[in-house]
Amino acid sequence: MVDHSFADLELAALYDSLNPWGPGDDFYLDLVMAAGSVLDVGCGTGRLLRRARGTGHEGRLAGLDPAAAMLVQGRRAEPSVEWILGDLRTRLWDGPGFDLVVMTGHAFQVLLSDEELRVALAAVRRALSPAGRFVFETRNPGARAWERWTPDRVYHVTDADGRAVRVWHQVEETPAGDRVTFTETYDGSPWPRPRVSRATLRFLGPDALAGFLEDAGLRVVEQYGDWSRGRLTADSPEIITVARPG
């Protein structure tokens, strides 16, 4: 099921303002610019691919997302990119594989069950060229990021009409195993009452990630703990993984 904040056109239009370009985007942009063909899984508004095209990438750029409202943002801004509605369970890729497949914005964490992970990773493996790379990040469970998702941390943005919007998060209950369920609340003059979106994310450690990747025919070749390619430690904020077929 698509998260409400991604499926709603008004909320999707706020995504880029809530998630401004940062070091993680620079990390991925360097990889995209060096690859001849790229598939961005869970591309959202397509900001990464749009920036790559605007920076001069002339190869194949494809963005896949199950939320039509998010793809609307990308298609309006850059029609030359392939914007594909769907997910890894529903799409089959013809022709030569992609040089690079990425999952940015912690999109990997929405794969909640073991079966979802296996199906998605098998699809990534099929989408890659023999020498291709799969690069994604997931929040390191050791850093316990969800403890900072509290209502007192309010984000202030404006919509396309200049109206103020307040956004905050709240974990619903004590995390169950490796899954965390939380709400995201949007409040402001555009709506008569707050809009609330509910989501669950899965937090997997390095060993579990390596196991799922290996089962799909992918091997970890690099892992970093931050966007500066720092060493992965027990409490690094990120687990940034580079995998290849084999």
Side-chain angles (χ1 to χ4, degrees):
M1 181 180 294
V2 178
D3 186 280
H4 177 63
S5 63
F6 300 152
D8 185 294
L9 278 170
E10 288 185 313
L11 301 187
L14 297 172
Y15 182 85
D16 287 348
S17 295
L18 285 169
N19 300 275
W21 189 273
D25 301 287
D26 289 328
F27 176 92
Y28 281 110
L29 183 61
D30 287 343
L31 297 174
V32 171
M33 296 304 295
S37 57
V38 181
L39 171 63
D40 185 352
V41 177
C43 66
T45 64
R47 178 174 61 186
L48 174 64
L49 299 182
R50 289 187 276 125
R51 179 70 67 91
R53 186 68 88 208
T55 305
H57 194 291
E58 297 180 351
R60 183 185 184 189
L61 298 176
L64 175 69
D65 201 281
M70 297 293 271
L71 293 180
V72 165
Q73 314 301 318
R75 190 173 289 110
R76 283 173 176 169
E78 184 50 77
S80 71
V81 171
E82 295 177 47
W83 303 111
I84 305 164
L85 181 63
D87 58 37
L88 287 169
R89 295 169 296 181
T90 60
R91 301 297 305 190
L92 296 176
W93 307 100
D94 298 322
F98 290 92
D99 298 323
L100 176 68
V101 176
V102 298
M103 291 184 75
T104 72
H106 304 106
F108 188 87
Q109 291 186 254
V110 305
L111 301 170
L112 299 181
S113 72
D114 289 359
E115 181 62 19
E116 281 182 292
L117 276 167
R118 292 190 181 102
V119 169
L121 290 174
V124 167
R125 175 64 182 85
R126 291 191 298 270
L128 280 171
S129 69
R133 290 188 293 177
F134 174 42
V135 186
F136 67 97
E137 92 282 349
T138 179
R139 297 176 183 88
N140 186 359
R144 303 179 68 83
W146 61 86
E147 293 182 346
R148 298 183 290 279
W149 299 348
T150 56
D152 59 301
R153 295 170 64 91
V154 179
Y155 300 87
H156 298 268
V157 296
T158 56
D159 69 4
D161 296 320
R163 297 172 296 184
V165 177
R166 299 167 62 247
V167 184
W168 65 91
H169 304 88
Q170 183 169 13
V171 175
E172 285 197 337
E173 55 192 26
T174 302
D178 56 18
R179 293 164 178 78
V180 176
T181 299
F182 64 98
T183 57
E184 183 175 48
T185 301
Y186 295 75
D187 189 23
S189 56
W191 312 288
R193 62 184 63 84
R195 309 281 288 274
V196 180
S197 174
R198 183 175 184 269
T200 300
L201 299 177
R202 188 173 186 183
F203 288 74
L204 291 174
D207 292 342
L209 290 171
F212 280 111
L213 289 164
E214 183 178 350
D215 290 345
L218 297 162
R219 58 185 174 87
V220 175
V221 294
E222 296 171 274
Q223 262 182 340
Y224 310 110
D226 58 46
W227 298 115
S228 298
R229 292 179 168 80
R231 184 172 64 89
L232 176 61
T233 65
D235 58 355
S236 296
E238 306 284 350
I239 303 174
I240 304 163
T241 300
V242 181
R244 289 188 181 274

